[in-house]
Amino acid sequence: MKLRKIILIVFALQILFTLGMKILSYTGDDSTELKSRTLKYFTTDDIEKGIEYGRRGFFARIASQVIDFLILGIFAFTSLAIRIEEYLEAKSKSRYYLMVALFFISFSIIEFIASLPLQYYFGFVLEHKFGFSKMTFVDWVIYTAKSALVGLGFGMLIALGAAFILKTFEKTWKYLIPTGSLVLGLVFSILYPIIITPIFYDYKPIEEGSLKTKIVNLCDHAKIKVENVYVINESKYSGHTNAYFTGWGDNRKIFLYDTLIKNHTEEEVISVLGHEIGHWTHNHELTFLVGNTIEMFLLCLLIGYIFQVAKANSEFTLKEIYSPSSWPLLFLIISIAGTITNPFWNTFSRYQEAQADMEALVLTNDKKSFIDTEIKMAKDNKSRLNPHPWVVFYSYSHPKTIDRIKMAEEFSGQ
Ligand SMILES: [Zn+2]
């Protein structure tokens, strides 16, 4: 069978599969067994709210997904990208990097405009409807503009970096791109709080007091060194809660959303931090980065091979691999590969999350606060309490709430 036909069939299967998963995530799991387990900790109203929030904008989501696939398909299977590239090549007088930059900007603008109505609907209208967003319309415009510019800036850096490697290292790009992304990931973890966080938030070191003392004690108990603990003002945007670590070694910083501190007891905050420490002591971030690098390397081999075959039998109109007009086909392959590897990554992620939960329980020996946190967070975030098992398998990065509670219930202490 011709390569073009194979890719087209796999792409069609990917679209059907993705839409099928969306339908399953709409329906959820209505088994009575799950419901009775859930009702031990939640009310019928909590379940209903989770269903309602999970189903929000269902048709808009389907439409957006179909539009994304259509754009990708049109660019990958027609000569439209070549025509745009030739136009930009003339405009930039054949200066390669300028042409790549113009190509990237044009795509980003088209993408931004196409997704703007849905961003407004999901990020502003629905978040207000469900009582999450604290933003006025002007706040939302500023936030969206900032996000778009940050995305454009970083996307441009990555696009130019990839273009440089593809153009300069014709034979070794397959090794250099995964290595480059690993280095970028490591550096980014240090730079993120210094460069990105201040664009969106104000943050300051946590005030002296009982919570700080408890955090210091927890870190001592876990035998880890933290540079400092910061509080960031998420309450300016929403009621969503979170906590995370950034950096490596002695440069490690803890970030707590002010919403987490406001809505939870100190013991519950400690339980959340215990979970984050679990990720750290088990080297989850590093494992993820290394795994990602290996996956990228395999993907580069696959892309290199498919590109070679596609170009050799001229089933696709392709220039060089470093020509931006070739990239839609490469993105299509990456997208299909992502659909296939997604359940593997998420299963691995759920395993790591359970490991971090266990670490929190062992460190704090306080399963009551752990369970109370799970209940409160699920209620506050209107989490879906009855997700379909296939959706959990395919796309959940965390075990479902009731399973996390079950694990804590079964924990017997030290
Ligand atoms: Zn986690």
Side-chain angles (χ1 to χ4, degrees):
M1 205 192 294
K2 292 274 190 196
L3 180 67
R4 193 184 167 89
K5 212 170 177 182
I6 296 173
I7 297 181
L8 206 56
I9 291 172
V10 177
F11 184 48
L13 288 175
Q14 184 198 11
I15 297 175
L16 287 177
F17 175 78
T18 308
L19 296 180
M21 287 315 275
K22 290 241 182 300
I23 292 169
L24 287 185
S25 72
Y26 182 91
T27 56
D29 180 352
D30 58 3
S31 74
T32 44
E33 186 262 344
L34 176 62
K35 191 163 184 181
S36 72
R37 275 170 68 200
T38 309
L39 285 175
K40 280 186 202 147
Y41 305 94
F42 296 93
T43 64
T44 324
D45 191 46
D46 295 329
I47 300 176
E48 287 304 321
K49 276 185 180 147
I51 292 174
E52 205 195 338
Y53 186 62
R55 288 180 174 175
R56 73 195 185 285
F58 177 70
F59 289 104
R61 233 187 276 250
I62 294 275
S64 142
Q65 187 72 69
V66 171
I67 291 169
D68 283 350
F69 278 132
L70 267 179
I71 294 177
L72 188 58
I74 288 170
F75 277 97
F77 289 103
T78 70
S79 59
L80 184 61
I82 293 228
R83 274 184 275 148
I84 295 174
E85 181 178 308
E86 278 165 359
Y87 172 78
L88 294 175
E89 205 170 2
K91 284 277 165 202
S92 61
K93 302 196 174 67
S94 296
R95 278 170 290 186
Y96 174 68
Y97 294 104
L98 179 61
M99 193 258 292
V100 170
L102 289 175
F103 200 88
F104 182 73
I105 291 173
S106 328
F107 266 96
S108 302
I109 291 174
I110 293 173
E111 229 274 315
F112 179 72
I113 293 172
S115 69
L116 196 57
L118 285 166
Q119 275 194 53
Y120 173 72
Y121 182 57
F122 280 99
F124 189 77
V125 179
L126 290 181
E127 286 298 280
H128 272 284
K129 187 186 160 203
F130 285 94
F132 284 122
S133 183
K134 305 271 187 292
M135 287 188 268
T136 64
F137 180 67
V138 175
D139 290 340
W140 178 80
V141 170
I142 294 170
Y143 177 82
T144 307
K146 275 185 190 173
S147 310
L149 288 175
V150 169
L152 189 70
F154 275 89
M156 180 76 90
L157 271 178
I158 291 169
L160 288 174
F164 171 73
I165 292 176
L166 286 172
K167 190 162 167 67
T168 319
F169 305 96
E170 236 175 279
K171 293 237 151 50
T172 47
W173 64 267
K174 297 179 188 85
Y175 312 98
L176 292 174
I177 287 190
T179 315
S181 86
L182 177 64
V183 173
L184 207 66
L186 291 171
V187 173
F188 201 63
S189 182
I190 296 172
L191 292 186
Y192 191 87
I194 302 168
I195 298 176
I196 307 291
T197 311
I199 299 177
F200 296 97
Y201 298 100
D202 295 325
Y203 64 89
K204 49 181 192 310
I206 190 169
E207 283 166 26
E208 294 298 327
S210 56
L211 179 59
K212 186 173 177 181
T213 311
K214 282 180 186 145
I215 293 174
V216 170
N217 289 342
L218 178 74
C219 292
D220 284 347
H221 179 47
K223 298 186 184 68
I224 55 168
K225 242 177 97 182
V226 178
E227 191 229 74
N228 212 339
V229 184
Y230 298 92
V231 179
I232 72 176
N233 61 336
E234 171 66 21
S235 56
K236 171 174 147 188
Y237 298 114
S238 83
H240 291 291
T241 54
N242 199 7
Y244 59 87
F245 281 84
T246 64
W248 305 99
D250 291 349
N251 183 266
R252 286 278 194 181
K253 297 176 173 66
I254 298 178
F255 285 84
L256 297 174
Y257 280 20
D258 58 353
T259 44
L260 183 76
I261 299 177
K262 272 177 210 159
N263 299 346
H264 291 261
T265 65
E266 290 184 353
E267 283 68 29
E268 288 166 9
V269 174
I270 292 299
S271 179
V272 172
L273 278 178
H275 172 97
E276 296 305 321
I277 289 174
H279 281 309
W280 179 352
T281 49
H282 291 279
N283 288 313
H284 287 163
E285 197 180 355
L286 200 63
T287 318
F288 174 79
L289 278 173
V290 171
N292 196 46
T293 307
I294 296 168
E295 187 194 18
M296 274 189 91
F297 172 62
L298 296 174
L299 199 54
C300 283
L301 290 181
L302 178 74
I303 283 175
Y305 174 73
I306 293 180
F307 187 81
Q308 214 180 0
V309 175
K311 197 165 153 44
N313 57 19
S314 23
E315 285 177 60
F316 290 86
T317 28
L318 291 169
K319 292 186 153 191
E320 302 302 328
I321 196 153
Y322 57 79
S323 314
S325 59
S326 305
W327 297 353
L329 178 64
L330 308 191
F331 278 124
L332 185 82
I333 299 167
I334 293 171
S335 160
I336 291 170
T339 302
I340 296 168
T341 57
N342 210 17
F344 166 76
W345 280 114
N346 279 318
T347 302
F348 184 51
S349 170
R350 287 194 305 278
Y351 166 75
Q352 292 188 322
E353 293 300 335
Q355 214 173 23
D357 279 350
M358 188 46 87
E359 192 69 36
L361 290 164
V362 171
L363 270 177
T364 61
N365 202 13
D366 178 6
K367 68 183 191 186
K368 183 184 178 300
S369 297
F370 181 96
I371 294 169
D372 288 348
T373 308
E374 284 300 316
I375 295 173
K376 216 182 256 186
M377 279 193 164
K379 285 182 187 226
D380 288 351
N381 293 311
K382 299 193 200 308
S383 302
R384 185 79 189 249
L385 295 167
N386 65 338
H388 194 283
W390 293 4
V391 175
V392 175
F393 172 72
Y394 182 73
S395 59
Y396 267 44
S397 61
H398 290 63
K400 62 178 188 284
T401 302
I402 201 69
D403 290 343
R404 297 178 80 174
I405 293 175
K406 181 173 172 240
M407 193 181 88
E409 289 287 17
E410 286 166 0
F411 175 73
S412 50
Q414 285 151 309

